[in-house]
Amino acid sequence: MKTALITGASDGIGKDMAIILSNMGYNIIVVARNQEKMKKTFKNIKNCLIIPMDLSIQENCYKLYNITKDKDIEILINNAGYGIFGQFLNTNLNNELNMIDLNIKSLHILTKLFLKDMVKKDKGYILNVGSIGSFFASPLLSSYYGSKAYVLNLSIAIKEELKKQKSNVYIGVFCPATINTNFHKKAGAKGKVKGLDSYTASKYAIDKMFKKRTIIIPSYANLLPFFIGIIPKTLITKIAYNIQIKKQ
């Protein structure tokens, strides 16, 4: 039976994507640090394997692959990640390095390992979760936006390589704007932030993934990359600062 592996599945879009795929008939494997939250969330889903794991530890990424590589993973959603809000001079270096390990290194490792298997079978889907912040720099979320730029550029580069190889394997990147999750609270922002409904955005991403869209941006944010491309970077950065400072 077809199987989907979703990281960062304890809440937010990871949780919603897992539920959506389960409702579509997929076996789901959900991975996150918070085992109790996953048990509560997925207790009524029979076709679900819960793996509590900290993917910021590189060894765990290889361990996860070895545990699941024989389960015929058809979909991999690299959603695990978090942000750190604040002035770069004041944010904690160890926290930032841990964030980079999770947002970049774990995604890179899992993409590499599962992609090789998918290419051999000439089928499969990998959806990496970026951000609208993948397209520009933002003061007060500098490290996070930088990590998501990596996710975007890695994904679209691999996509072109697969195209040249005439592979049927899909890789894309989901780049939402603000979504109603606990992201900003966890990042350390204090201001109220309104955004898209998480389930709606997740459903949109899954639908576009199956249509093999490379860059998936829901709602009004579809237009942002165009404007970002024609507005000077210095002006974009100033605008981003004025938006982020309201969250302080």
Side-chain angles (χ1 to χ4, degrees), residues 3-10 18 28-39 42 47-55 59-71 73 76 80 110 114:
T3 301
L5 170 62
I6 305 97
T7 70
S10 59
I28 58 171
I29 301 172
V30 292
V31 186
R33 303 183 200 193
N34 194 323
Q35 182 177 18
E36 292 306 314
K37 185 177 286 188
M38 287 192 293
K39 283 183 176 180
F42 301 108
N47 58 335
C48 178
L49 172 61
I50 294 173
I51 301 178
M53 189 173 285
D54 182 356
L55 294 177
E59 291 78 6
N60 284 346
C61 298
Y62 294 98
K63 182 178 179 181
L64 175 63
Y65 171 73
N66 288 326
I67 291 171
T68 60
K69 64 181 180 180
D70 295 327
K71 296 187 180 295
I73 304 298
L76 168 65
L110 294 175
F114 284 102

Side-chain angles (χ1 to χ4, degrees), residues 8 24 28 59 67 76 82 103 123 133 135 155 182 202 223:
M24 294 175 69
I28 58 171
E59 291 78 6
I67 291 171
L76 168 65
Y82 67 95
N103 292 11
K123 66 175 183 177
F135 296 94
S155 302
N182 290 323
S202 299
L223 301 174

Side-chain angles (χ1 to χ4, degrees), residues 6-19 30 42 79 202:
I6 305 97
T7 70
S10 59
D11 57 18
I13 60 176
K15 176 199 74 176
D16 290 333
M17 286 182 174
I19 291 171
V30 292
F42 301 108
N79 173 65
S202 299

Side-chain angles (χ1 to χ4, degrees), residues 3-248:
T3 301
L5 170 62
I6 305 97
T7 70
S10 59
D11 57 18
I13 60 176
K15 176 199 74 176
D16 290 333
M17 286 182 174
I19 291 171
I20 290 165
L21 289 167
S22 175
N23 290 338
M24 294 175 69
Y26 280 84
N27 287 324
I28 58 171
I29 301 172
V30 292
V31 186
R33 303 183 200 193
N34 194 323
Q35 182 177 18
E36 292 306 314
K37 185 177 286 188
M38 287 192 293
K39 283 183 176 180
K40 183 177 180 180
T41 299
F42 301 108
K43 65 181 179 180
N44 294 322
I45 297 179
K46 294 181 180 179
N47 58 335
C48 178
L49 172 61
I50 294 173
I51 301 178
M53 189 173 285
D54 182 356
L55 294 177
S56 68
I57 300 171
Q58 288 188 44
E59 291 78 6
N60 284 346
C61 298
Y62 294 98
K63 182 178 179 181
L64 175 63
Y65 171 73
N66 288 326
I67 291 171
T68 60
K69 64 181 180 180
D70 295 327
K71 296 187 180 295
D72 194 24
I73 304 298
E74 181 175 302
I75 297 173
L76 168 65
I77 297 179
N78 282 311
N79 173 65
Y82 67 95
I84 296 174
F85 183 86
Q87 297 280 350
F88 183 77
L89 284 173
N90 299 331
T91 47
N92 183 277
L93 178 58
N94 288 332
N95 290 345
E96 288 172 322
L97 294 176
N98 183 267
M99 183 199 73
I100 290 168
D101 286 339
L102 185 61
N103 292 11
I104 294 178
K105 288 185 179 180
S106 73
L107 178 143
H108 188 112
I109 293 168
L110 294 175
T111 297
K112 172 86 77 172
L113 296 176
F114 284 102
L115 181 63
K116 287 184 176 183
D117 291 342
M118 290 178 181
V119 168
K120 288 178 183 177
K121 295 181 287 188
D122 199 30
K123 66 175 183 177
Y125 297 82
I126 296 178
L127 183 62
N128 291 328
V129 177
S131 165
I132 198 64
S134 298
F135 296 94
F136 60 98
S138 178
L140 303 179
L141 277 169
S142 56
S143 300
Y144 174 73
Y145 275 41
S147 72
K148 291 305 182 179
Y150 182 93
V151 172
L152 173 65
N153 287 293
L154 177 74
S155 302
I156 60 178
I158 296 171
K159 184 263 182 185
E160 185 64 20
E161 292 177 0
L162 293 173
K163 181 180 178 181
K164 296 300 183 185
Q165 296 169 15
K166 301 188 184 317
S167 172
N168 288 314
V169 177
Y170 163 90
I171 185 167
V173 57
F174 179 41
C175 295
T178 304
I179 294 180
N180 286 331
T181 66
N182 290 323
F183 169 81
H184 284 90
K185 183 178 180 180
K186 290 180 179 179
K190 296 179 180 178
K192 291 185 178 180
V193 180
K194 293 183 179 180
L196 297 173
D197 172 70
S198 175
Y199 190 91
T200 301
S202 299
K203 182 66 166 59
Y204 181 88
I206 296 294
D207 290 344
K208 296 303 180 184
M209 178 189 75
F210 284 122
K211 293 178 180 177
K212 297 197 171 183
R213 180 177 293 183
T214 304
I215 300 174
I216 303 169
I217 306 173
S219 188
Y220 69 91
N222 262 306
L223 301 174
L224 286 179
F226 170 77
F227 290 108
I228 290 166
I230 62 175
I231 299 173
K233 286 185 179 295
T234 52
L235 179 56
I236 289 289
T237 306
K238 288 179 181 179
I239 293 171
Y241 177 82
N242 289 330
I243 292 172
Q244 301 298 358
I245 196 67
K246 295 177 182 177
K247 303 173 186 176
Q248 204 166 43

